[in-house]
Amino acid sequence: YNQEQDHYICPQGEIIPFKKVFKDYRTATLKKEYRSSSKQCKGCPLQAECLGRTAKEKKFSVTYYKEEYDRNIQRVESKQGRYMKAKRQSTVEPVFGTLTQFMGLRKINTIGLQQANKVMHLSAIAYNLKKYLKFTQKRAKSGAKALRSLVSEIKVLQYLINSYLSPLNLA
């Protein structure tokens, strides 16, 4: 690809120029079409491999936003991009998986971003409480310790509910 003159060069050295910008009817995205002339491809030794059986000329399309795609791919494949992907996969994605698969949060049936934020906050609270309860139940061995930890858990739950729900104005 030659960026300055906006054309591709085939393996035989022929120029495949830019022809037009069009909107793909299947994906409704902008694309750029590149097309060679049938004269360029006539008698080419790579014609069977390059064009197929029935085509007379080389024609292909590329997304209009190719530069942005390439820049993003380069960013994602960098050292920091791989680190951030691993971090996201280990912290955020398991939470969303648990919320959607096991806690029934497949849809948010509210109107507006403010209401959707409330639903997400409440589901995050529920997720964290379930995680907290699993952690504290493992530590309690005897009945007295279990009762004492249950009382402290209730106090913690009351504190969490009051501190989380008061800024949300759920009333």
Side-chain angles (χ1 to χ4, degrees):
Y1 178 69
N2 186 328
Q3 191 171 6
E4 292 89 34
Q5 296 166 350
D6 194 20
H7 66 258
Y8 282 86
I9 300 173
C10 81
Q12 291 296 315
E14 294 289 334
I15 292 175
I16 304 172
F18 165 73
K19 291 294 182 183
K20 66 180 179 179
V21 174
F22 67 97
K23 193 170 192 175
D24 188 1
Y25 70 92
R26 291 170 292 176
T27 58
T29 58
L30 287 178
K31 292 196 171 188
K32 293 171 84 173
E33 182 178 284
Y34 295 87
R35 182 185 295 208
S36 68
S37 70
S38 57
K39 294 175 188 173
Q40 286 176 307
C41 297
K42 200 172 197 176
C44 177
L46 300 175
Q47 186 176 10
E49 300 164 18
C50 190
L51 300 180
R53 284 185 245 160
T54 58
K56 303 269 190 260
E57 61 195 18
K58 183 70 175 175
K59 173 182 151 184
F60 59 93
S61 61
V62 177
T63 180
Y64 188 77
Y65 307 102
K66 185 176 181 346
E67 290 178 26
E68 288 83 359
Y69 275 100
D70 291 341
R71 191 171 61 239
N72 188 48
I73 289 168
Q74 189 177 27
R75 198 179 81 213
V76 168
E77 290 177 351
S78 70
K79 187 175 182 179
Q80 185 184 8
R82 288 192 306 270
Y83 170 77
M84 294 300 290
K85 181 180 179 184
K87 194 73 151 163
R88 183 184 71 243
Q89 285 179 329
S90 65
T91 55
V92 178
E93 289 178 6
V95 175
F96 282 119
T98 302
L99 289 174
T100 57
Q101 300 300 317
F102 304 115
M103 295 179 73
L105 191 71
R106 304 209 179 186
K107 282 190 209 175
I108 296 181
N109 295 322
T110 60
I111 297 173
L113 283 175
Q114 192 174 16
Q115 294 295 98
N117 279 334
K118 288 178 186 178
V119 171
M120 288 306 296
H121 277 118
L122 287 172
S123 59
I125 291 169
Y127 177 83
N128 288 334
L129 289 175
K130 278 183 82 171
K131 204 170 171 184
Y132 176 74
L133 287 173
K134 278 186 184 176
F135 175 74
T136 57
Q137 286 172 355
K138 287 180 184 174
R139 289 192 340 205
K141 302 262 190 223
S142 71
K145 284 184 181 178
L147 184 62
R148 186 175 43 187
S149 68
L150 185 63
V151 170
S152 65
E153 286 170 16
I154 290 172
K155 289 179 183 177
V156 169
L157 290 175
Q158 287 174 340
Y159 170 76
L160 287 173
I161 289 171
N162 291 333
S163 64
Y164 275 116
L165 296 184
S166 59
L168 294 177
N169 294 326
L170 289 174

